[in-house]
Amino acid sequence: MRLKTLAAAITALAIGAVAPAFAAETVKVGVTTTGVPFTFVDTSSQKPTGAMVDLAQAIGAEAGLATEFEVVAFSALIPSLTTGKIDLISAGMLATDKRREVVDFSAPVYTYGEAMFVPADEPANYTLDDLKGATIGAQVGTTFADALNARGTFGEVKLYDSIADIMRDVKLGRIKAGFGDKPIVAYQIAQNPGIGLRLVDGYQPLKAGDVALAVSKENPGLLEKVNAAIAKLKESGELAKIFAKYGL
């Protein structure tokens, strides 16, 4: 009896010691609520949703990772990643050389550029040269905000925390035109016909680039898992389905 009891105890200890190894690793994913349809909050559930949220969940399922979402302002995403508050960024963020200096990016998952938008009753399809000396708006932390500033031809490039804030000021006439991620702006205008804004026809983006997920340079193992999962999702067609669900 003592031998059986001892054997049972050893078995229980062995199971207990091994069990944690099978528990899914939890990855904190940083998202922003201002990036419809990439990332936003579902008003009915008050939970993060969008194409990049679905993608992060699909990557987690493929890689055996549990995903936990943290809502972070766009401009604070990279600082949150580099300080360890989050493990992964999954948002409508372009993989630029400047950002690559501080974080590592996954394989590209989507490509887009910025759009110019004006009041719906403004008939002119402005070019950037037409806006010389005018006050325009762009979202802080975006690549095209830097590019617009670098032109040095505008009266002011006002920086905003969200595209919604830019849209408000364009509609109210506080700024001449607004600039934002084209998929996000197009989606919001299409979903809200009474918003009083329109895209400028024929505008050619200053900055077009690839959307990718970002990880800390100190976490190459996670990057490897994310890239392997993305490759499988592309091959199966699931990646395209995720973006198509949100009109992208």
Side-chain angles (χ1 to χ4, degrees), residues 46-71:
Q46 294 301 307
K47 293 182 179 180
T49 188
M52 295 302 289
V53 174
D54 288 3
L55 177 57
Q57 290 174 328
I59 289 171
E62 190 69 51
L65 302 170
T67 50
E68 180 180 303
F69 293 94
E70 299 280 344
V71 176

Side-chain angles (χ1 to χ4, degrees), residues 206-229:
L206 286 173
K207 288 287 183 180
D210 296 322
V211 175
L213 291 83
V215 303
S216 167
K217 286 184 174 293
E218 306 301 318
N219 201 350
L222 177 59
L223 180 63
E224 185 177 345
K225 291 178 182 179
V226 169
N227 278 333

